[in-house]
Amino acid sequence: MHRYSAFSLLRHALTGHRGWAPAWRDAEPKPHYDVVIVGGGGHGLATAYYLAKLHGIKNVAVLEKGWIGGGNTGRNTTIVRSNYLLPGNAHFYEHSLKLWEGLSQDLNFNVMFSQRGVINLIHSDRERDVLAGRYNAMRLNGIDAEVIDTKTLAKLVPSINLSPDIRFPIQGAVLQPRGGVARHDAVAWGYARAADALGVDIIQGCEVTGIVQDGSKVTGVETTRGTIGAGSVGLAVAGHTSHVAAMAGLTLPIETHLLQATVTEPVKPFFDTVVSSAPAHVYVSQTDKGEVLIGGHIDGYNSYSQRGTLPRIEDILASAVELFPRLSRLRLMRQWAGVMDMSMDGSPIISKTPVENFFINGGWCYGGFKATPGSGWVFAHTIAHNRPHPLNEAFHLDRFETGHVLDERGAGPKPQAH
Amino acid sequence: MLLIPCPHCGERPENEFSYGGDGTVERPTDPAAVSDADWHAYVYRRANPKGPHVEYWYHQFGCRSWFKVRRDTHTHEILPLEDETS
């Protein structure tokens, strides 16, 4: 791998930028790998990278049915935070955030991680109690967290609507200063390049159509490019986890739902944080290109279509305009939808399964992007050692049967409510 | 916009309805006689198919009846319920 640096940029500038080599090889599938990772999004690529880097397992393939980063990695709203209450979640997401903080240096690829702060608005006394309780718990867990008043909020986000006459008047906010955003494509590309340099084969245009089993053991995968043998198979196909796991005979506590997002036309920078509101079901940030990126709540019914419907977008936009009235005259540039693994308790599943040599990483609901480095890190450990790391013990598939669910929101077994 | 066929009111826009999830899951009639594994399957496990899916809808802002719809989760096409194979 040629290292990227200011010097390499200068050297290539002198030759008219004609000498840049591809960032990763276009690998042909080999007949057998020690580990096959299904899914070439951020999570799958990160898993392959950490398997090769930290566990010495370099005979690894990442199989992607389309192109890397073309699924949910390319469709999310890029928010990174670790503001979780329950111990099983808090330490995992904080570990992930710490990995984000050194990721560009580790990968030698600028993932444009910008710690601009993530703000959650408070709209009622009850919400203040709940959020202040959660943010105090975060501080006890060693995670940065602040409760701020409307005066401080007005300084941080001058354009926010603090009028008492709106549907959900703003009474204050909580802030995680180390939270922020990152460039989603760069995360996939950076991990792909770094994994490739360690010998990992990244195979695009290769869809898994079956799981090869010998008794209760997985021995490989059938794909559109032939059968590939594998010592272990790990799924990182969130959105389609149920679909692929069913090929190995598993029925999971997951429903697949749509989540939509949209961006406006680019405008001059007018706020530099991430602002979200739970009652209004909306989160807003401004991208480096100036577009205002708006996301909201899931559409609410099972769907693999990657295509949402207008009532939800209308609802999300109404909330965004209420928080930022100046958005009302902006035109939308793009609108899209991704498909989410909505788990039954709102927390992910990174786990061994009843099928030997078969591991799953899914159930991310709509919070998978921020977990990318941490998810790959613990999933690589789980596959390499055939047991979970203490950081993902709570994400075991068995928790639904034993009653150890991680229901951060307290919504019960209703996937569309998380 | 999905048009949901309410058996009482006919096709109505999706924002009049709430979603009730998988319509093939049946609550065990005698909870005391059910094994932990079966109870777990009833509460948590879902087939989550990519394709035809029988599901509950509730006409919340209408006649307030619960009913089943068969819908393709990949194309959003509403299918005849009579073809239900599950």
Side-chain angles (χ1 to χ4, degrees), chain A residues 240 242 251-256 300-305 307 309 311 344 400-401 413 416, chain B residues 1-2 14-15 19 22 37 40 43-50 53 57 71 73-76:
Chain A
H240 280 75
S242 302
T251 308
L252 300 177
I254 289 174
E255 283 183 5
T256 297
Y301 46 84
N302 290 42
S303 177
Y304 286 88
S305 69
R307 180 165 51 89
T309 52
M344 282 285 180
F400 300 93
E401 199 154 356
Q416 72 269 36
Chain B
M1 178 76 78
L2 298 180
E14 67 179 271
N15 37 358
Y19 182 67
D22 192 325
H40 162 249
V43 177
Y44 293 111
R45 287 202 180 149
R46 298 294 177 263
N48 191 22
K50 184 176 185 175
H53 184 237
W57 286 86
R71 183 180 58 92
T73 59
H74 192 40
T75 63
H76 289 178

mmCIF file of all heavy atoms in Angstrom, chain A residues 240 242 251-256 300-305 307 309 311 344 400-401 413 416, chain B residues 1-2 14-15 19 22 37 40 43-50 53 57 71 73-76:
data_model
loop_
_atom_site.group_PDB
_atom_site.id
_atom_site.type_symbol
_atom_site.label_atom_id
_atom_site.label_comp_id
_atom_site.label_asym_id
_atom_site.label_seq_id
_atom_site.Cartn_x
_atom_site.Cartn_y
_atom_site.Cartn_z
ATOM 1 N N HIS A 240 -30.666 -7.028 5.762
ATOM 2 C CA HIS A 240 -30.966 -8.331 5.174
ATOM 3 C C HIS A 240 -30.523 -9.490 6.072
ATOM 4 O O HIS A 240 -30.385 -10.616 5.600
ATOM 5 C CB HIS A 240 -30.297 -8.475 3.809
ATOM 6 C CG HIS A 240 -31.032 -7.784 2.702
ATOM 7 N ND1 HIS A 240 -31.002 -6.423 2.541
ATOM 8 C CD2 HIS A 240 -31.834 -8.249 1.716
ATOM 9 C CE1 HIS A 240 -31.750 -6.092 1.491
ATOM 10 N NE2 HIS A 240 -32.262 -7.174 0.973
ATOM 11 N N SER A 242 -32.059 -11.185 8.434
ATOM 12 C CA SER A 242 -33.047 -12.278 8.483
ATOM 13 C C SER A 242 -32.992 -13.097 7.206
ATOM 14 O O SER A 242 -33.067 -14.320 7.217
ATOM 15 C CB SER A 242 -34.469 -11.726 8.604
ATOM 16 O OG SER A 242 -34.609 -10.933 9.736
ATOM 17 N N THR A 251 -34.290 -18.314 12.387
ATOM 18 C CA THR A 251 -35.331 -17.290 12.414
ATOM 19 C C THR A 251 -34.963 -16.319 13.525
ATOM 20 O O THR A 251 -34.817 -16.727 14.680
ATOM 21 C CB THR A 251 -36.710 -17.911 12.705
ATOM 22 O OG1 THR A 251 -36.915 -18.982 11.780
ATOM 23 C CG2 THR A 251 -37.820 -16.895 12.533
ATOM 24 N N LEU A 252 -34.804 -15.036 13.187
ATOM 25 C CA LEU A 252 -34.214 -14.077 14.131
ATOM 26 C C LEU A 252 -35.251 -13.110 14.701
ATOM 27 O O LEU A 252 -36.305 -12.893 14.103
ATOM 28 C CB LEU A 252 -33.112 -13.277 13.417
ATOM 29 C CG LEU A 252 -31.951 -14.085 12.846
ATOM 30 C CD1 LEU A 252 -30.991 -13.173 12.109
ATOM 31 C CD2 LEU A 252 -31.226 -14.841 13.940
ATOM 32 N N PRO A 253 -34.941 -12.500 15.852
ATOM 33 C CA PRO A 253 -35.847 -11.506 16.447
ATOM 34 C C PRO A 253 -35.676 -10.139 15.783
ATOM 35 O O PRO A 253 -35.341 -9.159 16.435
ATOM 36 C CB PRO A 253 -35.420 -11.484 17.914
ATOM 37 C CG PRO A 253 -33.980 -11.871 17.890
ATOM 38 C CD PRO A 253 -33.793 -12.791 16.729
ATOM 39 N N ILE A 254 -35.894 -10.099 14.469
ATOM 40 C CA ILE A 254 -35.642 -8.881 13.690
ATOM 41 C C ILE A 254 -36.763 -8.693 12.666
ATOM 42 O O ILE A 254 -37.255 -9.667 12.099
ATOM 43 C CB ILE A 254 -34.279 -9.012 12.943
ATOM 44 C CG1 ILE A 254 -33.113 -8.930 13.922
ATOM 45 C CG2 ILE A 254 -34.137 -7.950 11.858
ATOM 46 C CD1 ILE A 254 -31.771 -9.198 13.293
ATOM 47 N N GLU A 255 -37.162 -7.431 12.467
ATOM 48 C CA GLU A 255 -38.011 -7.069 11.328
ATOM 49 C C GLU A 255 -37.255 -6.040 10.499
ATOM 50 O O GLU A 255 -36.533 -5.209 11.050
ATOM 51 C CB GLU A 255 -39.325 -6.428 11.798
ATOM 52 C CG GLU A 255 -40.342 -7.408 12.333
ATOM 53 C CD GLU A 255 -41.648 -6.722 12.727
ATOM 54 O OE1 GLU A 255 -41.802 -5.508 12.500
ATOM 55 O OE2 GLU A 255 -42.515 -7.417 13.287
ATOM 56 N N THR A 256 -37.456 -6.053 9.183
ATOM 57 C CA THR A 256 -36.779 -5.096 8.311
ATOM 58 C C THR A 256 -37.716 -3.935 7.985
ATOM 59 O O THR A 256 -38.831 -4.157 7.513
ATOM 60 C CB THR A 256 -36.301 -5.808 7.036
ATOM 61 O OG1 THR A 256 -35.355 -6.802 7.418
ATOM 62 C CG2 THR A 256 -35.650 -4.838 6.075
ATOM 63 N N GLY A 300 -42.319 2.432 9.368
ATOM 64 C CA GLY A 300 -43.177 1.756 10.335
ATOM 65 C C GLY A 300 -43.825 0.460 9.894
ATOM 66 O O GLY A 300 -44.681 -0.060 10.593
ATOM 67 N N TYR A 301 -43.466 -0.066 8.733
ATOM 68 C CA TYR A 301 -44.001 -1.368 8.321
ATOM 69 C C TYR A 301 -42.867 -2.142 7.641
ATOM 70 O O TYR A 301 -41.944 -1.543 7.092
ATOM 71 C CB TYR A 301 -45.184 -1.199 7.352
ATOM 72 C CG TYR A 301 -44.934 -0.192 6.257
ATOM 73 C CD1 TYR A 301 -44.263 -0.562 5.099
ATOM 74 C CD2 TYR A 301 -45.317 1.142 6.395
ATOM 75 C CE1 TYR A 301 -43.990 0.355 4.112
ATOM 76 C CE2 TYR A 301 -45.045 2.069 5.405
ATOM 77 C CZ TYR A 301 -44.377 1.670 4.271
ATOM 78 O OH TYR A 301 -44.083 2.591 3.294
ATOM 79 N N ASN A 302 -42.943 -3.471 7.671
ATOM 80 C CA ASN A 302 -41.878 -4.292 7.077
ATOM 81 C C ASN A 302 -41.662 -3.925 5.615
ATOM 82 O O ASN A 302 -42.625 -3.849 4.851
ATOM 83 C CB ASN A 302 -42.256 -5.773 7.123
ATOM 84 C CG ASN A 302 -42.233 -6.341 8.518
ATOM 85 O OD1 ASN A 302 -42.681 -5.695 9.455
ATOM 86 N ND2 ASN A 302 -41.708 -7.537 8.659
ATOM 87 N N SER A 303 -40.411 -3.729 5.234
ATOM 88 C CA SER A 303 -40.127 -3.448 3.830
ATOM 89 C C SER A 303 -38.652 -3.629 3.514
ATOM 90 O O SER A 303 -37.787 -3.238 4.288
ATOM 91 C CB SER A 303 -40.534 -2.019 3.476
ATOM 92 O OG SER A 303 -40.200 -1.746 2.147
ATOM 93 N N TYR A 304 -38.393 -4.236 2.367
ATOM 94 C CA TYR A 304 -37.035 -4.365 1.827
ATOM 95 C C TYR A 304 -36.887 -3.490 0.579
ATOM 96 O O TYR A 304 -35.971 -3.670 -0.202
ATOM 97 C CB TYR A 304 -36.763 -5.811 1.405
ATOM 98 C CG TYR A 304 -36.533 -6.791 2.531
ATOM 99 C CD1 TYR A 304 -37.585 -7.464 3.133
ATOM 100 C CD2 TYR A 304 -35.245 -7.076 2.970
ATOM 101 C CE1 TYR A 304 -37.371 -8.388 4.141
ATOM 102 C CE2 TYR A 304 -35.010 -8.001 3.976
ATOM 103 C CZ TYR A 304 -36.081 -8.656 4.553
ATOM 104 O OH TYR A 304 -35.850 -9.577 5.548
ATOM 105 N N SER A 305 -37.834 -2.590 0.336
ATOM 106 C CA SER A 305 -37.914 -1.939 -0.979
ATOM 107 C C SER A 305 -36.867 -0.855 -1.187
ATOM 108 O O SER A 305 -36.648 -0.444 -2.322
ATOM 109 C CB SER A 305 -39.297 -1.326 -1.153
ATOM 110 O OG SER A 305 -39.427 -0.230 -0.271
ATOM 111 N N ARG A 307 -37.290 2.119 -0.604
ATOM 112 C CA ARG A 307 -38.044 3.197 -1.240
ATOM 113 C C ARG A 307 -39.177 3.573 -0.275
ATOM 114 O O ARG A 307 -40.083 2.797 -0.044
ATOM 115 C CB ARG A 307 -38.623 2.654 -2.556
ATOM 116 C CG ARG A 307 -39.420 3.596 -3.370
ATOM 117 C CD ARG A 307 -39.578 3.003 -4.788
ATOM 118 N NE ARG A 307 -40.056 1.618 -4.763
ATOM 119 C CZ ARG A 307 -41.351 1.279 -4.768
ATOM 120 N NH1 ARG A 307 -42.270 2.180 -4.803
ATOM 121 N NH2 ARG A 307 -41.709 0.007 -4.760
ATOM 122 N N THR A 309 -42.252 6.214 1.450
ATOM 123 C CA THR A 309 -43.407 6.910 0.902
ATOM 124 C C THR A 309 -43.490 8.322 1.495
ATOM 125 O O THR A 309 -42.846 8.628 2.494
ATOM 126 C CB THR A 309 -44.706 6.126 1.147
ATOM 127 O OG1 THR A 309 -44.796 5.814 2.521
ATOM 128 C CG2 THR A 309 -44.719 4.851 0.331
ATOM 129 N N PRO A 311 -45.800 10.329 3.130
ATOM 130 C CA PRO A 311 -46.296 10.819 4.420
ATOM 131 C C PRO A 311 -45.198 10.965 5.471
ATOM 132 O O PRO A 311 -45.186 11.930 6.229
ATOM 133 C CB PRO A 311 -47.321 9.746 4.832
ATOM 134 C CG PRO A 311 -47.786 9.167 3.553
ATOM 135 C CD PRO A 311 -46.602 9.198 2.627
ATOM 136 N N MET A 344 -35.808 -6.681 18.202
ATOM 137 C CA MET A 344 -36.957 -6.669 19.104
ATOM 138 C C MET A 344 -36.727 -5.849 20.366
ATOM 139 O O MET A 344 -37.670 -5.528 21.080
ATOM 140 C CB MET A 344 -37.331 -8.100 19.483
ATOM 141 C CG MET A 344 -38.100 -8.803 18.388
ATOM 142 S SD MET A 344 -39.801 -8.198 18.338
ATOM 143 C CE MET A 344 -40.457 -9.172 16.992
ATOM 144 N N PHE A 400 -32.814 -12.794 24.184
ATOM 145 C CA PHE A 400 -34.264 -12.706 24.082
ATOM 146 C C PHE A 400 -34.921 -13.898 24.783
ATOM 147 O O PHE A 400 -35.986 -13.779 25.353
ATOM 148 C CB PHE A 400 -34.678 -12.633 22.609
ATOM 149 C CG PHE A 400 -34.091 -11.437 21.915
ATOM 150 C CD1 PHE A 400 -32.892 -11.526 21.224
ATOM 151 C CD2 PHE A 400 -34.724 -10.208 21.992
ATOM 152 C CE1 PHE A 400 -32.339 -10.415 20.610
ATOM 153 C CE2 PHE A 400 -34.174 -9.088 21.389
ATOM 154 C CZ PHE A 400 -32.980 -9.202 20.698
ATOM 155 N N GLU A 401 -34.241 -15.037 24.718
ATOM 156 C CA GLU A 401 -34.777 -16.239 25.339
ATOM 157 C C GLU A 401 -34.545 -16.237 26.848
ATOM 158 O O GLU A 401 -35.376 -16.716 27.616
ATOM 159 C CB GLU A 401 -34.112 -17.476 24.704
ATOM 160 C CG GLU A 401 -34.889 -18.740 24.931
ATOM 161 C CD GLU A 401 -34.634 -19.784 23.843
ATOM 162 O OE1 GLU A 401 -33.908 -19.494 22.877
ATOM 163 O OE2 GLU A 401 -35.178 -20.890 23.982
ATOM 164 N N PRO A 413 -41.218 -5.569 22.966
ATOM 165 C CA PRO A 413 -40.878 -6.270 21.713
ATOM 166 C C PRO A 413 -41.678 -5.759 20.510
ATOM 167 O O PRO A 413 -42.438 -6.492 19.891
ATOM 168 C CB PRO A 413 -41.188 -7.727 22.034
ATOM 169 C CG PRO A 413 -42.235 -7.667 23.079
ATOM 170 C CD PRO A 413 -42.009 -6.407 23.872
ATOM 171 N N GLN A 416 -41.099 -1.583 15.498
ATOM 172 C CA GLN A 416 -41.338 -0.259 14.911
ATOM 173 C C GLN A 416 -41.359 0.841 15.972
ATOM 174 O O GLN A 416 -41.424 2.017 15.638
ATOM 175 C CB GLN A 416 -42.614 -0.242 14.061
ATOM 176 C CG GLN A 416 -43.926 -0.313 14.815
ATOM 177 C CD GLN A 416 -44.405 -1.745 14.993
ATOM 178 O OE1 GLN A 416 -43.626 -2.663 15.182
ATOM 179 N NE2 GLN A 416 -45.708 -1.959 14.947
ATOM 180 N N MET B 1 -47.164 6.633 -1.490
ATOM 181 C CA MET B 1 -48.319 6.413 -0.606
ATOM 182 C C MET B 1 -48.865 5.001 -0.798
ATOM 183 O O MET B 1 -49.221 4.620 -1.902
ATOM 184 C CB MET B 1 -49.397 7.452 -0.943
ATOM 185 C CG MET B 1 -50.667 7.332 -0.142
ATOM 186 S SD MET B 1 -50.515 7.944 1.543
ATOM 187 C CE MET B 1 -50.618 9.707 1.291
ATOM 188 N N LEU B 2 -48.900 4.223 0.297
ATOM 189 C CA LEU B 2 -49.546 2.923 0.208
ATOM 190 C C LEU B 2 -51.059 3.141 0.294
ATOM 191 O O LEU B 2 -51.526 3.981 1.051
ATOM 192 C CB LEU B 2 -49.131 2.030 1.379
ATOM 193 C CG LEU B 2 -47.665 1.644 1.545
ATOM 194 C CD1 LEU B 2 -47.519 0.751 2.770
ATOM 195 C CD2 LEU B 2 -47.166 0.923 0.306
ATOM 196 N N GLU B 14 -52.267 5.354 3.541
ATOM 197 C CA GLU B 14 -51.580 4.669 4.647
ATOM 198 C C GLU B 14 -51.560 5.471 5.946
ATOM 199 O O GLU B 14 -51.508 4.890 7.026
ATOM 200 C CB GLU B 14 -50.140 4.338 4.244
ATOM 201 C CG GLU B 14 -49.260 5.577 4.062
ATOM 202 C CD GLU B 14 -47.826 5.246 3.696
ATOM 203 O OE1 GLU B 14 -46.997 5.068 4.590
ATOM 204 O OE2 GLU B 14 -47.538 5.190 2.506
ATOM 205 N N ASN B 15 -51.615 6.814 5.858
ATOM 206 C CA ASN B 15 -51.500 7.569 7.117
ATOM 207 C C ASN B 15 -52.774 7.551 7.962
ATOM 208 O O ASN B 15 -52.811 8.134 9.028
ATOM 209 C CB ASN B 15 -50.987 9.003 6.905
ATOM 210 C CG ASN B 15 -51.498 9.646 5.646
ATOM 211 O OD1 ASN B 15 -52.228 9.025 4.881
ATOM 212 N ND2 ASN B 15 -51.154 10.896 5.430
ATOM 213 N N TYR B 19 -49.675 0.071 11.968
ATOM 214 C CA TYR B 19 -49.192 -1.234 11.557
ATOM 215 C C TYR B 19 -49.159 -2.176 12.751
ATOM 216 O O TYR B 19 -48.755 -1.772 13.845
ATOM 217 C CB TYR B 19 -47.792 -1.063 10.974
ATOM 218 C CG TYR B 19 -47.151 -2.308 10.449
ATOM 219 C CD1 TYR B 19 -47.660 -2.952 9.327
ATOM 220 C CD2 TYR B 19 -46.012 -2.826 11.055
ATOM 221 C CE1 TYR B 19 -47.046 -4.084 8.824
ATOM 222 C CE2 TYR B 19 -45.392 -3.955 10.550
ATOM 223 C CZ TYR B 19 -45.916 -4.578 9.439
ATOM 224 O OH TYR B 19 -45.307 -5.692 8.940
ATOM 225 N N ASP B 22 -46.436 -8.868 11.925
ATOM 226 C CA ASP B 22 -46.650 -10.172 11.302
ATOM 227 C C ASP B 22 -48.007 -10.771 11.709
ATOM 228 O O ASP B 22 -48.278 -10.965 12.900
ATOM 229 C CB ASP B 22 -45.509 -11.100 11.732
ATOM 230 C CG ASP B 22 -45.461 -12.387 10.937
ATOM 231 O OD1 ASP B 22 -46.539 -12.906 10.576
ATOM 232 O OD2 ASP B 22 -44.346 -12.874 10.669
ATOM 233 N N ALA B 37 -39.177 -22.111 24.962
ATOM 234 C CA ALA B 37 -38.727 -21.912 23.582
ATOM 235 C C ALA B 37 -39.891 -21.463 22.694
ATOM 236 O O ALA B 37 -39.730 -20.558 21.865
ATOM 237 C CB ALA B 37 -38.114 -23.198 23.051
ATOM 238 N N HIS B 40 -40.854 -17.864 23.575
ATOM 239 C CA HIS B 40 -39.839 -16.980 23.005
ATOM 240 C C HIS B 40 -40.107 -16.792 21.509
ATOM 241 O O HIS B 40 -40.060 -15.676 20.992
ATOM 242 C CB HIS B 40 -38.459 -17.595 23.258
ATOM 243 C CG HIS B 40 -37.372 -17.051 22.397
ATOM 244 N ND1 HIS B 40 -36.768 -17.798 21.423
ATOM 245 C CD2 HIS B 40 -36.805 -15.837 22.342
ATOM 246 C CE1 HIS B 40 -35.854 -17.052 20.810
ATOM 247 N NE2 HIS B 40 -35.854 -15.870 21.353
ATOM 248 N N VAL B 43 -43.113 -14.438 21.052
ATOM 249 C CA VAL B 43 -42.890 -13.024 21.393
ATOM 250 C C VAL B 43 -41.862 -12.379 20.461
ATOM 251 O O VAL B 43 -42.040 -11.238 20.039
ATOM 252 C CB VAL B 43 -42.434 -12.872 22.870
ATOM 253 C CG1 VAL B 43 -42.132 -11.406 23.197
ATOM 254 C CG2 VAL B 43 -43.500 -13.395 23.815
ATOM 255 N N TYR B 44 -40.777 -13.089 20.133
ATOM 256 C CA TYR B 44 -39.631 -12.435 19.497
ATOM 257 C C TYR B 44 -39.332 -12.845 18.052
ATOM 258 O O TYR B 44 -38.843 -12.030 17.285
ATOM 259 C CB TYR B 44 -38.366 -12.678 20.321
ATOM 260 C CG TYR B 44 -38.394 -11.992 21.671
ATOM 261 C CD1 TYR B 44 -38.481 -12.721 22.852
ATOM 262 C CD2 TYR B 44 -38.330 -10.604 21.752
ATOM 263 C CE1 TYR B 44 -38.503 -12.085 24.087
ATOM 264 C CE2 TYR B 44 -38.356 -9.959 22.988
ATOM 265 C CZ TYR B 44 -38.439 -10.705 24.145
ATOM 266 O OH TYR B 44 -38.466 -10.083 25.355
ATOM 267 N N ARG B 45 -39.514 -14.095 17.715
ATOM 268 C CA ARG B 45 -39.003 -14.542 16.413
ATOM 269 C C ARG B 45 -39.965 -14.201 15.291
ATOM 270 O O ARG B 45 -41.174 -14.442 15.399
ATOM 271 C CB ARG B 45 -38.752 -16.043 16.420
ATOM 272 C CG ARG B 45 -37.554 -16.402 17.225
ATOM 273 C CD ARG B 45 -37.014 -17.748 16.791
ATOM 274 N NE ARG B 45 -35.846 -18.094 17.589
ATOM 275 C CZ ARG B 45 -35.517 -19.330 17.879
ATOM 276 N NH1 ARG B 45 -36.246 -20.340 17.437
ATOM 277 N NH2 ARG B 45 -34.447 -19.566 18.590
ATOM 278 N N ARG B 46 -39.434 -13.664 14.196
ATOM 279 C CA ARG B 46 -40.252 -13.315 13.040
ATOM 280 C C ARG B 46 -39.578 -13.825 11.770
ATOM 281 O O ARG B 46 -38.364 -13.692 11.618
ATOM 282 C CB ARG B 46 -40.414 -11.793 12.942
ATOM 283 C CG ARG B 46 -41.119 -11.143 14.127
ATOM 284 C CD ARG B 46 -42.574 -11.561 14.240
ATOM 285 N NE ARG B 46 -43.218 -10.986 15.415
ATOM 286 C CZ ARG B 46 -43.368 -11.613 16.588
ATOM 287 N NH1 ARG B 46 -42.916 -12.845 16.750
ATOM 288 N NH2 ARG B 46 -43.961 -11.015 17.600
ATOM 289 N N ALA B 47 -40.393 -14.338 10.834
ATOM 290 C CA ALA B 47 -39.835 -14.836 9.572
ATOM 291 C C ALA B 47 -39.258 -13.678 8.762
ATOM 292 O O ALA B 47 -38.259 -13.824 8.074
ATOM 293 C CB ALA B 47 -40.913 -15.550 8.775
ATOM 294 N N ASN B 48 -39.854 -12.502 8.839
ATOM 295 C CA ASN B 48 -39.348 -11.292 8.177
ATOM 296 C C ASN B 48 -39.014 -11.540 6.708
ATOM 297 O O ASN B 48 -37.888 -11.288 6.268
ATOM 298 C CB ASN B 48 -38.110 -10.797 8.947
ATOM 299 C CG ASN B 48 -37.656 -9.420 8.511
ATOM 300 O OD1 ASN B 48 -38.441 -8.641 7.952
ATOM 301 N ND2 ASN B 48 -36.383 -9.107 8.730
ATOM 302 N N PRO B 49 -39.973 -12.061 5.910
ATOM 303 C CA PRO B 49 -39.644 -12.449 4.538
ATOM 304 C C PRO B 49 -39.413 -11.251 3.621
ATOM 305 O O PRO B 49 -39.981 -10.177 3.831
ATOM 306 C CB PRO B 49 -40.900 -13.207 4.095
ATOM 307 C CG PRO B 49 -42.004 -12.605 4.897
ATOM 308 C CD PRO B 49 -41.399 -12.241 6.227
ATOM 309 N N LYS B 50 -38.560 -11.475 2.612
ATOM 310 C CA LYS B 50 -38.399 -10.505 1.526
ATOM 311 C C LYS B 50 -39.312 -11.004 0.416
ATOM 312 O O LYS B 50 -38.933 -11.857 -0.375
ATOM 313 C CB LYS B 50 -36.940 -10.476 1.082
ATOM 314 C CG LYS B 50 -36.625 -9.437 0.029
ATOM 315 C CD LYS B 50 -35.123 -9.429 -0.261
ATOM 316 C CE LYS B 50 -34.782 -8.315 -1.222
ATOM 317 N NZ LYS B 50 -33.324 -8.204 -1.430
ATOM 318 N N HIS B 53 -45.969 -11.061 2.543
ATOM 319 C CA HIS B 53 -45.986 -10.999 4.010
ATOM 320 C C HIS B 53 -47.418 -10.736 4.450
ATOM 321 O O HIS B 53 -48.031 -9.761 4.030
ATOM 322 C CB HIS B 53 -45.073 -9.841 4.446
ATOM 323 C CG HIS B 53 -44.902 -9.698 5.932
ATOM 324 N ND1 HIS B 53 -45.201 -8.533 6.603
ATOM 325 C CD2 HIS B 53 -44.441 -10.565 6.876
ATOM 326 C CE1 HIS B 53 -44.923 -8.692 7.896
ATOM 327 N NE2 HIS B 53 -44.457 -9.909 8.084
ATOM 328 N N TRP B 57 -53.097 -4.688 10.028
ATOM 329 C CA TRP B 57 -53.199 -3.220 9.976
ATOM 330 C C TRP B 57 -54.424 -2.822 10.795
ATOM 331 O O TRP B 57 -55.380 -3.583 10.935
ATOM 332 C CB TRP B 57 -53.347 -2.722 8.533
ATOM 333 C CG TRP B 57 -52.079 -2.797 7.738
ATOM 334 C CD1 TRP B 57 -51.605 -3.860 7.048
ATOM 335 C CD2 TRP B 57 -51.106 -1.740 7.557
ATOM 336 N NE1 TRP B 57 -50.393 -3.567 6.441
ATOM 337 C CE2 TRP B 57 -50.076 -2.263 6.748
ATOM 338 C CE3 TRP B 57 -51.002 -0.419 8.008
ATOM 339 C CZ2 TRP B 57 -48.965 -1.514 6.363
ATOM 340 C CZ3 TRP B 57 -49.894 0.334 7.619
ATOM 341 C CH2 TRP B 57 -48.884 -0.212 6.813
ATOM 342 N N ARG B 71 -49.027 -8.371 1.622
ATOM 343 C CA ARG B 71 -48.310 -7.334 0.891
ATOM 344 C C ARG B 71 -46.891 -7.825 0.607
ATOM 345 O O ARG B 71 -46.281 -8.506 1.434
ATOM 346 C CB ARG B 71 -48.250 -6.061 1.757
ATOM 347 C CG ARG B 71 -47.594 -4.851 1.126
ATOM 348 C CD ARG B 71 -47.603 -3.678 2.107
ATOM 349 N NE ARG B 71 -46.913 -4.007 3.343
ATOM 350 C CZ ARG B 71 -45.605 -3.774 3.550
ATOM 351 N NH1 ARG B 71 -44.892 -3.158 2.656
ATOM 352 N NH2 ARG B 71 -45.039 -4.154 4.678
ATOM 353 N N THR B 73 -43.148 -7.306 0.593
ATOM 354 C CA THR B 73 -42.278 -6.354 1.288
ATOM 355 C C THR B 73 -41.156 -5.838 0.383
ATOM 356 O O THR B 73 -40.416 -4.951 0.776
ATOM 357 C CB THR B 73 -41.635 -6.992 2.540
ATOM 358 O OG1 THR B 73 -40.874 -8.127 2.124
ATOM 359 C CG2 THR B 73 -42.677 -7.406 3.557
ATOM 360 N N HIS B 74 -41.021 -6.421 -0.800
ATOM 361 C CA HIS B 74 -39.972 -5.953 -1.707
ATOM 362 C C HIS B 74 -40.525 -4.914 -2.696
ATOM 363 O O HIS B 74 -39.840 -3.965 -3.047
ATOM 364 C CB HIS B 74 -39.379 -7.140 -2.456
ATOM 365 C CG HIS B 74 -38.115 -6.826 -3.205
ATOM 366 N ND1 HIS B 74 -37.136 -6.003 -2.695
ATOM 367 C CD2 HIS B 74 -37.679 -7.218 -4.419
ATOM 368 C CE1 HIS B 74 -36.152 -5.906 -3.570
ATOM 369 N NE2 HIS B 74 -36.454 -6.624 -4.625
ATOM 370 N N THR B 75 -41.785 -5.095 -3.119
ATOM 371 C CA THR B 75 -42.359 -4.200 -4.140
ATOM 372 C C THR B 75 -43.483 -3.316 -3.615
ATOM 373 O O THR B 75 -43.937 -2.424 -4.308
ATOM 374 C CB THR B 75 -42.942 -5.033 -5.296
ATOM 375 O OG1 THR B 75 -44.013 -5.830 -4.757
ATOM 376 C CG2 THR B 75 -41.909 -5.940 -5.923
ATOM 377 N N HIS B 76 -43.968 -3.591 -2.393
ATOM 378 C CA HIS B 76 -45.111 -2.899 -1.783
ATOM 379 C C HIS B 76 -46.439 -3.221 -2.457
ATOM 380 O O HIS B 76 -47.448 -2.576 -2.181
ATOM 381 C CB HIS B 76 -44.925 -1.361 -1.753
ATOM 382 C CG HIS B 76 -43.895 -0.919 -0.772
ATOM 383 N ND1 HIS B 76 -43.534 0.397 -0.599
ATOM 384 C CD2 HIS B 76 -43.141 -1.627 0.109
ATOM 385 C CE1 HIS B 76 -42.598 0.482 0.332
ATOM 386 N NE2 HIS B 76 -42.340 -0.727 0.759
#
